[in-house]
Amino acid sequence: MSRITLTQLRKFKATGEKISCLTAYDASFAHFLDQAGVDILLVGDSLGMVIQGHDSTLPVTVENMIYHCQLVQRGSQRALLVVDMPFMSYATPSQALETAARLMREGQAQVVKLEGGAWLVDTVQLLTERGIPVCAHLGLTPQSVHQLGGYRIQGRSETEAKRLQDDALALQTAGA
């Protein structure tokens, strides 16, 4: 059995087929989700809170993400693997390239996910130009918990909603 690809996801979208995505941190859970037909498995930096017991995602390292991605990869056969890039592992475009390459090479990720808005356009362009698929994460971004003053709903005002929409379009245009 081969893994779902981005090409297949694009076909699902074009035909209106629903796409499922759930988070997994280990081989056992990945196996059950894969067997249930989940299309995308996200190895989230939320493992810092869910698995490691931290009060945020900030302590999670690239090594943690590689390890958990390896576990999920071994436990699944079909689902596309998306892995979070942890806090400060993509502070510059060149650092992002290095981190993403490690997550794909060592962790076997197929897509990397990063949090942030239009300030990431250059990073997304660099990654995608070099063959690294990127999933952008906007809105409630746990890596910005201290800047946001906690886990709060984003985009409530018209101005905030417009900014989120503009950021989404900019990141999409950049290749995310």
Side-chain angles (χ1 to χ4, degrees):
M1 179 183 304
S2 60
R3 289 200 180 273
I4 289 178
T5 64
L6 289 176
T7 301
Q8 288 171 292
L9 287 180
R10 285 184 193 101
K11 286 180 186 173
F12 292 169
K13 181 182 178 190
T15 61
E17 189 171 332
K18 293 186 183 209
I19 299 169
S20 57
C21 176
L22 289 171
T23 302
Y25 308 111
D26 62 38
S28 298
F29 211 70
H31 175 76
F32 291 124
L33 294 176
D34 202 56
Q35 292 298 305
V38 174
D39 300 310
I40 303 167
L41 294 180
L42 169 65
V43 182
D45 61 357
S46 53
L47 68 88
M49 299 167 80
V50 176
I51 302 295
Q52 297 174 336
H54 296 294
D55 62 358
S56 76
T57 63
L58 303 183
V60 176
T61 66
V62 173
E63 288 71 23
N64 294 151
M65 297 310 299
I66 289 169
Y67 173 75
H68 285 274
C69 193
Q70 290 170 341
L71 299 179
V72 170
Q73 190 272 337
R74 284 186 288 231
S76 62
Q77 296 178 3
R78 177 185 171 276
L80 180 88
L81 298 181
V82 178
V83 64
D84 269 336
M85 294 179 69
F87 178 67
M88 294 306 291
S89 70
Y90 53 98
T92 65
S94 60
Q95 183 186 27
L97 184 60
E98 228 175 273
T99 301
R102 285 193 66 203
L103 292 169
M104 293 182 78
R105 230 184 356 251
E106 298 172 44
Q108 301 299 304
Q110 293 169 273
V111 177
V112 297
K113 180 175 147 292
L114 39 77
E115 294 182 10
W119 65 271
L120 285 169
V121 163
D122 291 341
T123 298
V124 170
Q125 283 177 327
L126 177 70
L127 295 177
T128 57
E129 286 170 357
R130 282 155 180 79
I132 298 172
V134 175
C135 175
H137 177 164
L138 296 168
L140 177 62
T141 49
Q143 291 178 14
S144 301
V145 64
H146 297 305
Q147 181 183 26
L148 298 172
Y151 300 101
R152 304 195 189 292
I153 295 172
Q154 303 298 302
R156 284 189 182 220
S157 73
E158 237 179 88
T159 304
E160 288 176 343
K162 176 73 170 120
R163 183 185 47 81
L164 283 174
Q165 184 178 27
D166 291 346
D167 285 351
L169 292 172
L171 291 166
Q172 178 180 327
T173 300

mmCIF file of all heavy atoms in Angstrom, residues 38-62:
data_model
loop_
_atom_site.group_PDB
_atom_site.id
_atom_site.type_symbol
_atom_site.label_atom_id
_atom_site.label_comp_id
_atom_site.label_asym_id
_atom_site.label_seq_id
_atom_site.Cartn_x
_atom_site.Cartn_y
_atom_site.Cartn_z
ATOM 1 N N VAL A 38 -7.979 7.486 7.867
ATOM 2 C CA VAL A 38 -7.627 8.898 7.977
ATOM 3 C C VAL A 38 -6.606 9.235 6.881
ATOM 4 O O VAL A 38 -5.631 8.507 6.693
ATOM 5 C CB VAL A 38 -7.076 9.221 9.385
ATOM 6 C CG1 VAL A 38 -6.564 10.643 9.451
ATOM 7 C CG2 VAL A 38 -8.156 8.980 10.435
ATOM 8 N N ASP A 39 -6.835 10.319 6.167
ATOM 9 C CA ASP A 39 -6.006 10.674 5.012
ATOM 10 C C ASP A 39 -4.670 11.308 5.388
ATOM 11 O O ASP A 39 -3.665 11.080 4.714
ATOM 12 C CB ASP A 39 -6.764 11.655 4.105
ATOM 13 C CG ASP A 39 -8.058 11.064 3.589
ATOM 14 O OD1 ASP A 39 -8.024 9.932 3.067
ATOM 15 O OD2 ASP A 39 -9.100 11.729 3.724
ATOM 16 N N ILE A 40 -4.678 12.134 6.424
ATOM 17 C CA ILE A 40 -3.476 12.874 6.831
ATOM 18 C C ILE A 40 -3.248 12.655 8.317
ATOM 19 O O ILE A 40 -4.170 12.812 9.126
ATOM 20 C CB ILE A 40 -3.636 14.390 6.572
ATOM 21 C CG1 ILE A 40 -3.958 14.672 5.107
ATOM 22 C CG2 ILE A 40 -2.383 15.150 7.016
ATOM 23 C CD1 ILE A 40 -4.429 16.101 4.846
ATOM 24 N N LEU A 41 -2.021 12.318 8.674
ATOM 25 C CA LEU A 41 -1.635 12.242 10.076
ATOM 26 C C LEU A 41 -0.696 13.407 10.358
ATOM 27 O O LEU A 41 0.332 13.552 9.707
ATOM 28 C CB LEU A 41 -0.948 10.913 10.396
ATOM 29 C CG LEU A 41 -1.833 9.672 10.286
ATOM 30 C CD1 LEU A 41 -1.031 8.420 10.615
ATOM 31 C CD2 LEU A 41 -3.058 9.785 11.181
ATOM 32 N N LEU A 42 -1.088 14.224 11.326
ATOM 33 C CA LEU A 42 -0.272 15.360 11.750
ATOM 34 C C LEU A 42 0.495 14.960 13.000
ATOM 35 O O LEU A 42 -0.104 14.554 13.992
ATOM 36 C CB LEU A 42 -1.151 16.577 12.054
ATOM 37 C CG LEU A 42 -0.453 17.737 12.763
ATOM 38 C CD1 LEU A 42 0.621 18.355 11.868
ATOM 39 C CD2 LEU A 42 -1.452 18.770 13.219
ATOM 40 N N VAL A 43 1.806 15.072 12.934
ATOM 41 C CA VAL A 43 2.633 14.903 14.120
ATOM 42 C C VAL A 43 2.797 16.316 14.664
ATOM 43 O O VAL A 43 3.590 17.105 14.152
ATOM 44 C CB VAL A 43 3.989 14.248 13.787
ATOM 45 C CG1 VAL A 43 4.796 14.046 15.060
ATOM 46 C CG2 VAL A 43 3.783 12.929 13.045
ATOM 47 N N GLY A 44 1.998 16.645 15.649
ATOM 48 C CA GLY A 44 1.931 18.003 16.141
ATOM 49 C C GLY A 44 2.891 18.285 17.279
ATOM 50 O O GLY A 44 3.169 17.413 18.107
ATOM 51 N N ASP A 45 3.368 19.527 17.320
ATOM 52 C CA ASP A 45 4.203 19.923 18.450
ATOM 53 C C ASP A 45 3.373 20.001 19.727
ATOM 54 O O ASP A 45 3.906 20.163 20.821
ATOM 55 C CB ASP A 45 4.954 21.219 18.180
ATOM 56 C CG ASP A 45 4.071 22.427 17.918
ATOM 57 O OD1 ASP A 45 2.832 22.272 17.874
ATOM 58 O OD2 ASP A 45 4.619 23.521 17.742
ATOM 59 N N SER A 46 2.078 19.793 19.592
ATOM 60 C CA SER A 46 1.204 19.673 20.760
ATOM 61 C C SER A 46 1.624 18.495 21.632
ATOM 62 O O SER A 46 1.216 18.405 22.789
ATOM 63 C CB SER A 46 -0.256 19.524 20.334
ATOM 64 O OG SER A 46 -0.398 18.469 19.397
ATOM 65 N N LEU A 47 2.490 17.645 21.110
ATOM 66 C CA LEU A 47 3.016 16.538 21.910
ATOM 67 C C LEU A 47 3.718 17.064 23.158
ATOM 68 O O LEU A 47 3.795 16.362 24.172
ATOM 69 C CB LEU A 47 3.945 15.637 21.094
ATOM 70 C CG LEU A 47 5.306 16.175 20.627
ATOM 71 C CD1 LEU A 47 6.394 15.943 21.661
ATOM 72 C CD2 LEU A 47 5.681 15.504 19.326
ATOM 73 N N GLY A 48 4.194 18.294 23.109
ATOM 74 C CA GLY A 48 4.810 18.902 24.279
ATOM 75 C C GLY A 48 3.843 18.974 25.453
ATOM 76 O O GLY A 48 4.238 18.782 26.607
ATOM 77 N N MET A 49 2.578 19.234 25.149
ATOM 78 C CA MET A 49 1.558 19.324 26.191
ATOM 79 C C MET A 49 0.902 17.958 26.429
ATOM 80 O O MET A 49 0.737 17.542 27.571
ATOM 81 C CB MET A 49 0.511 20.367 25.797
ATOM 82 C CG MET A 49 1.099 21.768 25.641
ATOM 83 S SD MET A 49 -0.005 22.924 24.836
ATOM 84 C CE MET A 49 -1.071 23.347 26.189
ATOM 85 N N VAL A 50 0.557 17.266 25.369
ATOM 86 C CA VAL A 50 -0.194 16.016 25.464
ATOM 87 C C VAL A 50 0.658 14.852 25.964
ATOM 88 O O VAL A 50 0.210 14.066 26.798
ATOM 89 C CB VAL A 50 -0.812 15.665 24.082
ATOM 90 C CG1 VAL A 50 -1.520 14.327 24.113
ATOM 91 C CG2 VAL A 50 -1.757 16.765 23.631
ATOM 92 N N ILE A 51 1.880 14.742 25.484
ATOM 93 C CA ILE A 51 2.748 13.610 25.823
ATOM 94 C C ILE A 51 3.770 13.974 26.899
ATOM 95 O O ILE A 51 3.994 13.220 27.836
ATOM 96 C CB ILE A 51 3.491 13.096 24.563
ATOM 97 C CG1 ILE A 51 2.498 12.689 23.468
ATOM 98 C CG2 ILE A 51 4.447 11.966 24.903
ATOM 99 C CD1 ILE A 51 1.618 11.516 23.799
ATOM 100 N N GLN A 52 4.399 15.141 26.766
ATOM 101 C CA GLN A 52 5.501 15.505 27.658
ATOM 102 C C GLN A 52 5.061 16.228 28.931
ATOM 103 O O GLN A 52 5.850 16.378 29.855
ATOM 104 C CB GLN A 52 6.524 16.371 26.905
ATOM 105 C CG GLN A 52 7.183 15.647 25.751
ATOM 106 C CD GLN A 52 8.076 16.567 24.930
ATOM 107 O OE1 GLN A 52 7.907 17.784 24.894
ATOM 108 N NE2 GLN A 52 9.046 15.967 24.254
ATOM 109 N N GLY A 53 3.835 16.722 28.966
ATOM 110 C CA GLY A 53 3.319 17.364 30.163
ATOM 111 C C GLY A 53 3.691 18.821 30.355
ATOM 112 O O GLY A 53 3.490 19.378 31.433
ATOM 113 N N HIS A 54 4.200 19.473 29.329
ATOM 114 C CA HIS A 54 4.523 20.896 29.420
ATOM 115 C C HIS A 54 3.240 21.723 29.370
ATOM 116 O O HIS A 54 2.189 21.235 28.962
ATOM 117 C CB HIS A 54 5.443 21.316 28.267
ATOM 118 C CG HIS A 54 6.775 20.659 28.285
ATOM 119 N ND1 HIS A 54 7.720 20.877 29.267
ATOM 120 C CD2 HIS A 54 7.331 19.765 27.424
ATOM 121 C CE1 HIS A 54 8.798 20.162 29.013
ATOM 122 N NE2 HIS A 54 8.590 19.473 27.903
ATOM 123 N N ASP A 55 3.335 22.999 29.735
ATOM 124 C CA ASP A 55 2.156 23.864 29.680
ATOM 125 C C ASP A 55 2.051 24.624 28.359
ATOM 126 O O ASP A 55 1.151 25.436 28.177
ATOM 127 C CB ASP A 55 2.112 24.820 30.864
ATOM 128 C CG ASP A 55 3.291 25.778 30.910
ATOM 129 O OD1 ASP A 55 4.183 25.684 30.046
ATOM 130 O OD2 ASP A 55 3.326 26.635 31.814
ATOM 131 N N SER A 56 2.977 24.364 27.437
ATOM 132 C CA SER A 56 2.916 24.957 26.096
ATOM 133 C C SER A 56 3.685 24.047 25.137
ATOM 134 O O SER A 56 4.287 23.056 25.554
ATOM 135 C CB SER A 56 3.530 26.362 26.083
ATOM 136 O OG SER A 56 4.939 26.297 26.123
ATOM 137 N N THR A 57 3.697 24.442 23.879
ATOM 138 C CA THR A 57 4.449 23.685 22.870
ATOM 139 C C THR A 57 5.900 24.161 22.755
ATOM 140 O O THR A 57 6.693 23.557 22.041
ATOM 141 C CB THR A 57 3.783 23.824 21.486
ATOM 142 O OG1 THR A 57 3.816 25.203 21.090
ATOM 143 C CG2 THR A 57 2.340 23.333 21.497
ATOM 144 N N LEU A 58 6.236 25.231 23.439
ATOM 145 C CA LEU A 58 7.542 25.877 23.259
ATOM 146 C C LEU A 58 8.758 25.000 23.577
ATOM 147 O O LEU A 58 9.772 25.126 22.902
ATOM 148 C CB LEU A 58 7.604 27.183 24.047
ATOM 149 C CG LEU A 58 6.514 28.212 23.706
ATOM 150 C CD1 LEU A 58 6.723 29.492 24.490
ATOM 151 C CD2 LEU A 58 6.440 28.487 22.221
ATOM 152 N N PRO A 59 8.716 24.113 24.570
ATOM 153 C CA PRO A 59 9.904 23.301 24.860
ATOM 154 C C PRO A 59 10.212 22.199 23.836
ATOM 155 O O PRO A 59 11.278 21.584 23.882
ATOM 156 C CB PRO A 59 9.592 22.669 26.225
ATOM 157 C CG PRO A 59 8.525 23.494 26.811
ATOM 158 C CD PRO A 59 7.723 24.005 25.644
ATOM 159 N N VAL A 60 9.295 21.926 22.917
ATOM 160 C CA VAL A 60 9.482 20.837 21.958
ATOM 161 C C VAL A 60 10.654 21.146 21.028
ATOM 162 O O VAL A 60 10.784 22.257 20.514
ATOM 163 C CB VAL A 60 8.189 20.597 21.151
ATOM 164 C CG1 VAL A 60 8.399 19.544 20.080
ATOM 165 C CG2 VAL A 60 7.058 20.198 22.089
ATOM 166 N N THR A 61 11.495 20.142 20.801
ATOM 167 C CA THR A 61 12.684 20.302 19.954
ATOM 168 C C THR A 61 12.497 19.633 18.598
ATOM 169 O O THR A 61 11.592 18.817 18.407
ATOM 170 C CB THR A 61 13.914 19.670 20.635
ATOM 171 O OG1 THR A 61 13.702 18.245 20.702
ATOM 172 C CG2 THR A 61 14.156 20.241 22.027
ATOM 173 N N VAL A 62 13.389 19.947 17.693
ATOM 174 C CA VAL A 62 13.402 19.286 16.382
ATOM 175 C C VAL A 62 13.617 17.788 16.581
ATOM 176 O O VAL A 62 12.969 16.960 15.918
ATOM 177 C CB VAL A 62 14.497 19.890 15.464
ATOM 178 C CG1 VAL A 62 14.625 19.099 14.176
ATOM 179 C CG2 VAL A 62 14.199 21.360 15.171
#
